[in-house]
Structure formats: structure tokens, C-alpha cells
Amino acid sequence: VQLQASGGGFVQAGGSLRLSCAASGRTFSNYAMAWLRQAPGKEREFVATISSGGANTLYADSVKGRFTISRDNAKNTVYLQMNNLKPEDTAVYHCAAQDYYRNYRSTQYKYWGQGTQVTVSS
């Protein structure tokens, strides 16, 4: 499956952004999806994941209550709504796919898309 993320940008602290990830190539609804991020000089970090049908979600503690992952299987797209952004949210955000949902925070995914930059100023 091919993944293309978009929606990143520059925003002030407290602002919002919505990231989108469009999938193609295989049946999108078969895959669990996730968002991960990587800041300069830091390791890749799990952000959120959602099961293939959308019933199950899991978040990193650092974004819980501020970020919402969702998906539209009819549009082959997964979203990440990011509210109350903080400077520490600055990173390149990647969407990723896995053949099955895991109810734990993993950075290991089978399919990856190119990232979209999110920059939050203080």
C-alpha cells in the first residue's frame, strides 16, 4: 500500500492542524493505520493508531486529549486532528500501515509514507 501524508505547516502554540494520509494500491480497509513522528536528533515516536474499522484507537500519553485519529475507508484516508499544539509537537509526521491492529504503542510498521513537517512556534 502506498501512503501520502499532507496537511503539515507552521502554527503558533495553541493552534490546530489536521493531517491527512491518502492510501492507494491495496484495500485500505484491511489495514490498521498509525501516525508517528520524528523530531531532529530524536528517535521516532509513536503518536496514535486506529484499527481497520475505526473502532479501536490508542494514543501516546503526550498527545492524549489533544490529538484525534480517525479514518474514512470510503475515501481511503486517515486523519490526525491536532489541537492545542505545543512547541514539543514540532516534528516530521509520518503515516504508516500494518496488516493488523496492535493495542500497544509500537514504532514498527510494515508500510510507511513520506512525512509532512509540523512546526509549532512558542
Side-chain angles (χ1 to χ4, degrees):
V1 60
Q2 289 78 49
L3 305 171
Q4 179 68 51
S6 61
F10 185 93
V11 64
Q12 291 189 332
S16 298
L17 284 173
R18 188 175 83 153
L19 306 183
S20 299
C21 176
S24 62
R26 296 194 181 186
T27 304
F28 177 71
S29 59
N30 287 345
Y31 294 92
M33 300 297 297
W35 288 95
L36 300 97
R37 66 187 182 187
Q38 189 164 20
K42 295 187 177 181
E43 294 186 352
R44 185 174 294 163
E45 178 186 17
F46 169 87
V47 176
T49 186
I50 187 168
S51 58
S52 59
N56 299 298
T57 58
L58 182 67
Y59 296 91
D61 288 343
S62 58
V63 307
K64 196 178 299 183
R66 300 188 297 121
F67 291 10
T68 302
I69 189 171
S70 63
R71 65 190 296 161
D72 185 337
N73 285 347
K75 295 183 178 179
N76 292 346
T77 303
V78 62
Y79 305 97
L80 185 69
Q81 178 66 44
M82 305 185 295
N83 298 328
N84 190 23
L85 282 159
K86 303 177 180 180
E88 52 263 42
D89 294 319
T90 296
V92 176
Y93 283 71
H94 297 266
C95 60
Q98 186 68 27
D99 298 332
Y100 49 90
Y101 177 76
R102 292 165 293 179
N103 193 30
Y104 56 88
R105 300 168 180 87
S106 173
T107 59
Q108 304 301 312
Y109 282 80
K110 187 174 183 179
Y111 303 101
W112 290 85
Q114 68 177 49
T116 185
Q117 175 72 46
V118 172
T119 304
V120 185
S121 67
S122 57

